[in-house]
Amino acid sequence: MSSSLLALGCLLPACVVQKADSGGTEPTSTDTSGPAASATESASSEAPGVPSSTGEATSPGETTSTTAEPLTTTADSQSSTSGGVQHMVCEIPFPEPAPELPPINFGPDARPRFDDWTDLDCGSLTAAACGQPQDPPCNGICLRGTAGGPGVCTFADIDIWCDGEGEAIGYGEGTCWACSPSEARALACCEFPEGFDCRDWPYPSDGPPGSICARHEDCEPGLVCGAHRGKGYGICQCPGLDAEDVAPPQSCFQQ
């Protein structure tokens, strides 16, 4: 008796962007509608990058025990964050229809303000580095990409609220964020990108919990781009969280 082997392959998106390759790069997304359109989209939306859900994906509960072939689950076949995918760290799956996005501060070019750093030239930055033996003390807080690694100086008041300007920097290997001038993020990504979020927006569904976002599909499948204690940008998080509970860990601000 002969049998067939069905091989499954899964290619997860990965993004390692060099600042030198990204300066001034225009986003490939054609969605310039901003948060207003995204907030009202449902599972049947035809917005770019968010395929509509047909409800025909095979789930474990819909299969029978009579088949001997490997099963394809919804999570295996889903290519977007909409449609009920459940992230491995979350207790509930992505809701359908998609939840409303938090207010995102967009610039005149229809990009979120937290992507402004990609327009800056590495040779003209005035931001200050910190954390290395040759660096002078920070006039503020030193945000480090990795524990004990180099960082950039930013506001002394550890501003995660942003007050609406929407600029933000992701660091701490995807778990930390803070409001910071675009030049601080640009300096980190030009000089020592390890641990800093140096991706060009729009992000290809690879944002882990705690990373900044402007769309649900900026986040890993199963996460939402939700509200937090700040303004002007979203944070990738599990569905159903209270915004007041979404804050970076205290270790993010240890000098």
Side-chain angles (χ1 to χ4, degrees):
M1 177 182 299
S2 63
S3 62
S4 62
L5 175 64
L6 179 61
L8 295 177
C10 178
L11 179 63
L12 294 177
C15 183
V16 180
V17 178
Q18 298 293 330
K19 177 64 179 73
D21 297 331
S22 62
T25 302
E26 291 298 323
T28 57
S29 171
T30 59
D31 183 7
T32 59
S33 58
S38 299
T40 57
E41 70 180 8
S42 67
S44 61
S45 172
E46 297 181 359
V50 187
S52 61
S53 174
T54 63
E56 298 175 355
T58 303
S59 67
E62 295 170 335
T63 60
T64 66
S65 59
T66 59
T67 177
E69 295 183 354
L71 304 180
T72 299
T73 67
T74 302
D76 292 328
S77 61
Q78 188 67 40
S79 60
S80 171
T81 51
S82 63
V85 177
Q86 185 164 346
H87 193 276
M88 65 181 68
V89 303
C90 301
E91 296 182 0
I92 61 175
F94 189 92
E96 199 176 296
E100 182 177 351
L101 287 166
I104 308 296
N105 192 311
F106 284 84
D109 55 359
R111 287 185 299 150
R113 289 292 309 277
F114 60 69
D115 194 56
D116 286 352
W117 70 274
T118 59
D119 296 329
L120 303 178
D121 181 74
C122 291
S124 62
L125 301 174
T126 59
C130 55
Q132 304 169 102
Q134 69 272 23
D135 296 329
C138 251
N139 184 21
I141 299 296
C142 183
L143 304 180
R144 300 173 185 263
T146 59
V152 289
C153 294
T154 190
F155 309 117
D157 61 354
I158 315 179
D159 187 4
I160 65 170
W161 291 270
C162 267
D163 303 324
E165 79 269 20
E167 296 169 358
I169 180 172
Y171 63 103
E173 300 180 292
T175 63
C176 303
W177 69 91
C179 292
S180 188
S182 296
E183 287 210 353
R185 187 173 180 183
L187 177 66
C189 292
C190 287
E191 301 294 336
F192 33 80
E194 184 179 4
F196 286 93
D197 187 348
C198 296
R199 300 169 298 162
D200 283 0
W201 188 85
Y203 307 142
S205 298
D206 62 351
S211 57
I212 58 179
C213 58
R215 315 171 306 161
H216 294 309
E217 51 269 68
D218 289 340
C219 306
E220 291 177 341
L223 301 178
V224 301
C225 182
H228 55 111
R229 299 182 186 183
K231 300 178 182 178
Y233 62 107
I235 291 297
C236 293
Q237 58 192 264
C238 288
L241 295 184
D242 188 307
E244 286 300 309
D245 296 330
V246 181
Q250 197 62 36
S251 59
C252 293
F253 307 106
Q254 293 177 355
Q255 297 234 49

